[in-house]
Amino acid sequence: MINENLRSLYLIALEQSYSIENILIDELPSMAIEAYDQELKKIFEDHLRETKNQKARLDNLFTQYQQVPGIISMSMQAMVTETETMIKGILDPLVKDAALIASAQKIEHIEIASYHSLLTWAKELKDELATKLLKETLDEEETASKKLTKLSEGGFFSKGLDQKAARK
């Protein structure tokens, strides 16, 4: 009984992650356009490619499970709205980049938490393919989070000011 209930929970959470990836496929190009810092643009562009691969992995699992995902992640839609609202009136490109990084880090942390749970449940359900695919995705999400953290902590504002001065 517990495995049947765990499997139901797992599939619902998998659908939520699928929705998150689809929402991000739509949102990451806008975030890249809004970014001032070239490294930040590249992080968003690279993560878009990874996100498309992550969606493909989930497609693979849904095919295996003979299930069509239909849940929409309301939390991710709210995060997108929050990001758009946060950057809307910001004129200073460095401050806008700081807001984009903060939003992206929040999104990554949501994804990391989701994929940690999914991976744990896939292992418990003894689903070797899912375990492998979810581990790949979790590793990518953790790497993306580390890149954002490194950028934000690595003299981002002073580097940005140097770029800003160079463009004048």
Side-chain angles (χ1 to χ4, degrees), residues 17 24 30 97 144 155:
S17 287
L24 290 176
S30 299
D97 279 359

Side-chain angles (χ1 to χ4, degrees), residues 77-99:
Q77 286 184 324
M79 286 295 304
V80 167
T81 300
E82 181 181 301
T83 300
E84 291 168 351
T85 301
M86 190 183 326
I87 67 169
K88 188 175 185 177
I90 299 175
L91 299 177
D92 186 305
L94 298 178
V95 175
K96 184 182 281 189
D97 279 359

Side-chain angles (χ1 to χ4, degrees), residues 26-118:
D26 290 340
E27 186 62 20
L28 281 167
S30 299
M31 292 173 81
I33 288 168
E34 291 289 337
Y36 172 78
D37 182 82
Q38 293 305 306
E39 189 175 347
L40 182 56
K41 281 183 185 293
K42 184 172 179 354
I43 288 171
F44 289 146
E45 291 164 354
D46 291 347
H47 199 56
L48 175 60
R49 283 188 288 281
E50 286 178 346
T51 301
K52 289 177 179 178
N53 289 334
Q54 293 163 359
K55 178 188 175 290
R57 287 184 201 121
L58 294 174
D59 282 330
N60 186 345
L61 292 177
F62 285 117
T63 298
Q64 176 185 326
Y65 302 147
Q66 298 178 349
Q67 183 167 335
V68 177
I71 292 176
I72 302 295
S73 173
M74 301 306 283
S75 63
M76 189 52 59
Q77 286 184 324
M79 286 295 304
V80 167
T81 300
E82 181 181 301
T83 300
E84 291 168 351
T85 301
M86 190 183 326
I87 67 169
K88 188 175 185 177
I90 299 175
L91 299 177
D92 186 305
L94 298 178
V95 175
K96 184 182 281 189
D97 279 359
L100 286 167
I101 290 170
S103 291
Q105 285 177 315
K106 286 180 189 178
I107 290 167
E108 289 306 323
H109 286 263
I110 289 169
E111 288 187 292
I112 289 167
S114 297
Y115 282 112
H116 264 294
S117 296
L118 285 167

Side-chain angles (χ1 to χ4, degrees), residues 123-135:
K123 287 176 183 177
E124 184 66 30
L125 294 167
K126 298 181 182 2
D127 187 330
E128 291 179 23
L129 177 61
T131 298
K132 177 185 177 291
L133 296 177
L134 294 168
K135 176 71 172 118

